[in-house]
Amino acid sequence: PICSRLQPLSPSLLWVRRKMSRESRTRLSRDEESLVESLDAGLYDEADNDDSGSDIDREEEIAEEPSSMGEDVFALATASFVRDYVFLQSGSAAYHVRVSRMMFTFLLVCFCFFMQFFLLSAVYRLLCEVAVKQIRQDYSHYQQVMYGDHVHKNGNGFWRGDGNEFFNNVSAFETLTDDEKHSVCQIPLAHPEYTAMILFIWTLNCCAELRNAVEGVSRVLQTVPTVDDVNDVLDKVEDNSSAALVAGLTRSMKFLITVLIFVPRILTVVMLGFLGCRWLMATNSLSDLLLNGLALEFTLMLKELLNVTLTSKRNKSITDNTLFPETRSHYTIFDSLGSAGWAIFAIVWVYAYIYHVQSVVPGYKWDVRPVCATWKDALSE
């Protein structure tokens, strides 16, 4: 007898179910065939929780169709490695074509990493450190003027006030020139809300890249089954002769894809995110702060740019038609709110960086904003 309430199948059983041929399905009885069709459509009730006496709070099972890894050089390298490696191991006649494509995609990924690391180095040496030194000097001079003789040098050799009771407020501030006042009042830490919003947007961009990389690793290591034979890696796709479904990956293939593609990508995004925050924090101009935030974003777009301009139409087709399985799971409240975790992470990181982590202006005393507000009012009269 067929039960009216069924336990959800595990992803491995569902994968086996997809592999059933049409001939085997025709041999099923009428009741069994009805059961199979209901499983394919996801039209079955959730099982009662006999232990707790209440139903599990979740929606129907969502089965996403297999899809490509994206449209960038990393997706191209992954698709090319899987396809060409399998066909080479199977004795493909187009040996030179497949080897040259694997070499090209590998060099393209290396070139992308080289450009990103070069920009990271250039931003750090030519932009970041120069801006940090300048903003430290401006704030050190401000401290010396505002606190008079009640100052000391910090570990970096810059002046800091001894205490708020020695702060001379407006009277000492008026002794500064307009250029000096402008330099001090343009310090990003003097406008924490504005600076936090710019840093938050930049961090969200980095989180988007990091999320794509993490989800890619998850698909390769967890969603795609592990197989022992390279001949079991690719499977045909119905109604699309040019497409190939990645039915499994060997352990060595998973290791190489993770180490050569995803790990460097994740490290690059993390380093770029941190140095980007440091450079933005050292930008001693509120207008340049916004422009620098926009300029940083193009470093994250290099992978798409290289794919569009340097990849042939044939290779783009291979990327689009190499399909990786998606995770099939029940939609729960954690899935609904899980994406919000990246926004929460960005908020926590921005707060921690501004108030605890940043070393652009070490020992910042939060004593610029009130004085600058008074100076702006005086200029407006």
Side-chain angles (χ1 to χ4, degrees):
I2 300 176
C3 299
S4 59
R5 304 182 68 83
L6 301 172
Q7 292 285 352
L9 297 178
S10 64
S12 59
L13 289 178
L14 289 171
W15 180 79
V16 173
R17 171 62 193 85
R18 297 191 199 103
K19 301 291 291 182
M20 294 177 63
S21 64
R22 293 181 180 273
E23 291 77 12
S24 62
R25 294 182 65 176
T26 58
R27 293 194 298 267
L28 298 175
S29 64
R30 179 176 300 179
D31 291 338
E32 289 172 332
E33 185 175 359
S34 176
L35 171 60
V36 169
E37 295 298 330
S38 66
L39 288 174
D40 285 342
L43 302 176
Y44 57 89
D45 297 331
E46 299 171 11
D48 290 333
N49 191 339
D50 297 333
D51 295 333
S52 61
S54 60
D55 291 338
I56 301 175
D57 185 15
R58 62 189 181 190
E59 295 184 1
E60 69 277 2
E61 189 179 67
I62 296 179
E64 299 183 8
E65 293 296 327
S67 61
S68 66
M69 296 292 285
E71 297 181 356
D72 53 47
V73 294
F74 302 117
L76 170 63
T78 304
S80 174
F81 174 77
V82 172
R83 277 205 177 200
D84 294 329
Y85 180 81
V86 170
F87 285 114
L88 286 173
Q89 292 295 318
S90 302
S92 172
Y95 176 83
H96 298 288
V97 174
R98 299 191 182 280
V99 171
S100 61
R101 181 164 53 207
M102 291 180 66
M103 293 179 61
F104 171 76
T105 55
F106 178 74
L107 291 176
L108 199 59
V109 170
C110 291
F111 183 57
C112 181
F113 286 142
F114 168 76
M115 293 181 65
Q116 289 180 325
F117 277 107
F118 176 81
L119 289 174
L120 284 174
S121 176
V123 166
Y124 181 78
R125 291 183 296 104
L126 304 178
L127 301 177
C128 190
E129 289 306 303
V130 175
V132 168
K133 183 178 180 180
Q134 183 62 48
I135 200 171
R136 286 179 176 179
Q137 290 175 347
D138 292 341
Y139 187 67
S140 177
H141 179 64
Y142 171 80
Q143 291 284 291
Q144 200 172 12
V145 171
M146 300 302 291
Y147 289 88
D149 296 332
H150 302 282
V151 293
H152 65 278
K153 286 190 175 182
N154 61 8
N156 301 98
F158 295 97
W159 296 107
R160 291 294 182 271
D162 291 333
N164 294 331
E165 63 273 15
F166 303 112
F167 188 70
N168 293 325
N169 209 341
V170 181
S171 59
F173 186 73
E174 292 298 329
T175 63
L176 296 172
T177 65
D178 287 346
D179 290 340
E180 291 173 338
K181 293 177 181 178
H182 184 269
S183 296
V184 171
C185 292
Q186 291 288 302
I187 293 177
L189 288 173
H191 310 273
E193 296 86 358
Y194 174 74
T195 303
M197 182 58 65
I198 300 298
L199 292 181
F200 176 71
I201 296 174
W202 165 242
T203 304
L204 280 183
N205 277 279
C206 294
C207 285
E209 293 295 318
L210 193 60
R211 178 179 180 178
N212 289 336
V214 171
E215 289 180 350
V217 172
S218 177
R219 290 177 71 179
V220 170
L221 296 181
Q222 295 183 348
T223 306
V224 178
T226 301
V227 297
D228 296 325
D229 191 351
V230 71
N231 294 321
D232 297 330
V233 170
L234 296 179
D235 197 2
K236 294 181 179 180
V237 178
E238 295 182 2
D239 303 328
N240 191 348
S241 59
S242 61
L245 173 65
V246 181
L249 290 173
T250 63
R251 288 180 175 84
S252 60
M253 295 177 69
K254 289 187 175 184
F255 175 80
L256 291 175
I257 293 174
T258 302
V259 173
L260 297 180
I261 298 177
F262 288 109
V263 171
R265 182 181 178 184
I266 292 174
L267 293 178
T268 302
V269 172
V270 172
M271 293 175 60
L272 185 60
F274 179 80
L275 288 181
C277 288
R278 183 176 175 86
W279 183 34
L280 292 174
M281 187 65 71
T283 302
N284 200 7
S285 172
L286 297 180
S287 59
D288 290 343
L289 179 61
L290 177 60
L291 296 177
N292 289 345
L294 296 175
L296 278 172
E297 186 178 356
F298 92 95
T299 59
L300 298 176
M301 301 173 58
L302 287 175
K303 62 185 188 303
E304 287 89 1
L305 176 64
L306 294 177
N307 183 64
V308 171
T309 56
L310 302 182
T311 303
S312 65
K313 185 177 180 180
R314 170 71 176 179
N315 288 343
K316 292 177 183 177
S317 176
I318 290 176
T319 304
D320 296 335
N321 290 294
T322 303
L323 309 180
F324 288 77
E326 295 279 1
T327 303
R328 182 169 182 171
S329 61
H330 287 279
Y331 190 75
T332 65
I333 189 173
F334 299 104
D335 298 311
S336 178
L337 302 179
S339 299
W342 292 99
I344 296 174
F345 170 79
I347 293 173
V348 172
W349 164 248
V350 170
Y351 175 84
Y353 186 81
I354 292 177
Y355 292 98
H356 302 286
V357 178
Q358 71 86 20
S359 59
V360 174
V361 186
Y364 183 73
K365 302 177 69 67
W366 302 99
D367 51 2
V368 176
R369 183 175 183 175
V371 178
C372 289
T374 304
W375 178 56
K376 291 177 182 179
D377 293 340
L379 289 179
S380 63
E381 293 177 356

